[in-house]
Amino acid sequence: HELLAARLGNARMQRRENVDRVGGETDKLVDNGKVSYSNPVRQPLFTYEDSVGGKTPKAKAAAENLMKVCPSAEAEGHVLTIPMPGHTVSKSQAQKVKAEFERLRELIIKHDIIFLLTDSRESRWLPSLLASAHNKLLINAALGFDTFVVMRHGTRQEAEEKREEGRRLGCYFCNDVVAPTDSLSDRTLDQQCTVTRPGLAPIASALSAEMAVSLLHNMSVEGGGGEGEGELGAMPHQIRGSLRQFSLLSITGNAYDKCTACSDVVVEWYQKKGWDFVLDALNKPAYLEEVTGLTKMKQEAEDFDVDIEWDDDDDNDGDHGQGDNGGDGGRS
């Protein structure tokens, strides 16, 4: 199977080695960073020589070192910046960003499994949308300081297969009622790069690789694998872990019909407008919320202003507890 990994950090390096152990055939690595002196001690596919001068692209260095460790591996590094909502694209940048969008789309279409391993919420949006629109299995790993989540996104084929049940597994954005936006500007250095406890990345990356293997042993890649038990055991939707409590929790969450990344309306707009839709999402902070109906939903919630009047006068001719509009028990 062909695998695509977006972003090469702590979990990404560990994930790559774990996938090699179970026989990943072709791996494409996507990143826009350069190897620095802090990388080799944390990320096993970089060496000190890669960090000297700070000019070696992470994606290419990781691919080359991977083939030194495993000569039979077919690895390629792609230097690519993922377009992100909230990071405005000027007219002079539009063609360059469009080209990067098209490269990312082609990579996702060509691969069987996408591992989404980026450092910010907004950088996960476009890969999540593209994977949903093109019916690709995506496994998402996100790290905090001492917590993590590893999850697989539901596929649209899975939705067709389960239409009678009326449900589909959700994606990373399905629990949100706000669209992704710029979370990177004006951050301190320690906030710009994921700072975690040393064991967190190996644990999360191992679980993401094991999740992929379990799914591959019990499904067509396009089908999403469903839930329940497979040949290798459980096939969870999400695994949430905490090193503070040394705990793992396996949970399931259904897709949200107003999700900014995988809902039907977002996928339909993307399929209809393509790059123009993506560009609007990048440049207009409220655009995704308007398209999905989140703006309307939040406005309705704000407009639902409940007035309650309490009448403590016992001599009120029996209308005690009536609200302004005659509602029962003080409800307007």
Side-chain angles (χ1 to χ4, degrees), residues 247-290:
S247 64
L248 291 176
L249 181 64
S250 178
I251 63 176
T252 298
N254 291 335
Y256 181 36
D257 64 356
K258 293 180 176 59
C259 176
T260 57
C262 76
S263 63
D264 290 343
V265 64
V266 168
V267 171
E268 288 170 4
W269 275 71
Y270 160 72
Q271 292 173 337
K272 180 180 178 181
K273 299 180 64 178
W275 164 245
D276 290 336
F277 170 75
V278 174
L279 183 61
D280 284 339
L282 303 184
N283 285 339
K284 302 176 184 178
Y287 182 69
L288 288 172
E289 293 187 12
E290 292 171 358

Side-chain angles (χ1 to χ4, degrees), residues 3-147:
L3 313 176
L4 176 66
R7 186 68 170 80
L8 302 174
N10 292 353
R12 301 80 179 172
M13 297 290 95
Q14 301 287 345
R15 192 278 321 169
R16 176 55 259 176
E17 289 199 338
N18 288 325
V19 169
D20 257 0
R21 294 187 183 106
V22 297
E25 297 171 2
T26 304
D27 204 355
K28 306 290 175 58
L29 311 174
V30 173
D31 198 284
N32 69 341
K34 304 290 178 58
V35 183
S36 67
Y37 289 112
S38 67
N39 292 131
V41 296
R42 297 179 292 121
Q43 298 155 6
L45 288 181
F46 297 134
T47 66
Y48 172 78
E49 288 73 19
D50 294 327
S51 64
V52 175
K55 296 182 179 180
T56 306
K58 284 185 176 181
K60 294 184 177 180
E64 291 173 1
N65 291 331
L66 175 60
M67 289 187 287
K68 292 178 183 177
V69 175
C70 182
S72 62
E74 297 180 26
E76 293 180 11
H78 294 263
V79 180
L80 173 65
T81 299
I82 298 174
M84 299 181 286
H87 297 254
T88 305
V89 179
S90 65
K91 290 184 178 179
S92 62
Q93 298 172 316
Q95 289 303 314
K96 178 183 177 182
V97 177
K98 181 180 180 181
E100 291 181 325
F101 156 73
E102 291 176 345
R103 285 180 61 198
L104 179 63
R105 179 179 62 185
E106 290 172 4
L107 285 168
I108 287 178
I109 290 173
K110 289 179 180 178
H111 289 76
D112 299 312
I113 302 177
I114 293 89
F115 288 90
L116 185 54
L117 313 160
T118 57
D119 283 336
S120 69
R121 180 170 174 261
E122 63 264 33
S123 62
R124 299 173 189 268
W125 175 76
L126 185 55
S128 297
L129 167 62
L130 294 173
S132 180
H134 297 289
N135 200 43
K136 296 295 180 177
L137 176 60
L138 185 149
I139 294 179
N140 197 337
L143 308 180
F145 172 67
D146 54 12
T147 59

Side-chain angles (χ1 to χ4, degrees), residues 1 3 112-113 137 211-221:
H1 294 284
L3 313 176
D112 299 312
I113 302 177
L137 176 60
M211 181 179 287
V213 172
S214 293
L215 292 169
L216 287 173
H217 276 266
N218 199 61
M219 62 177 242
S220 64
V221 172

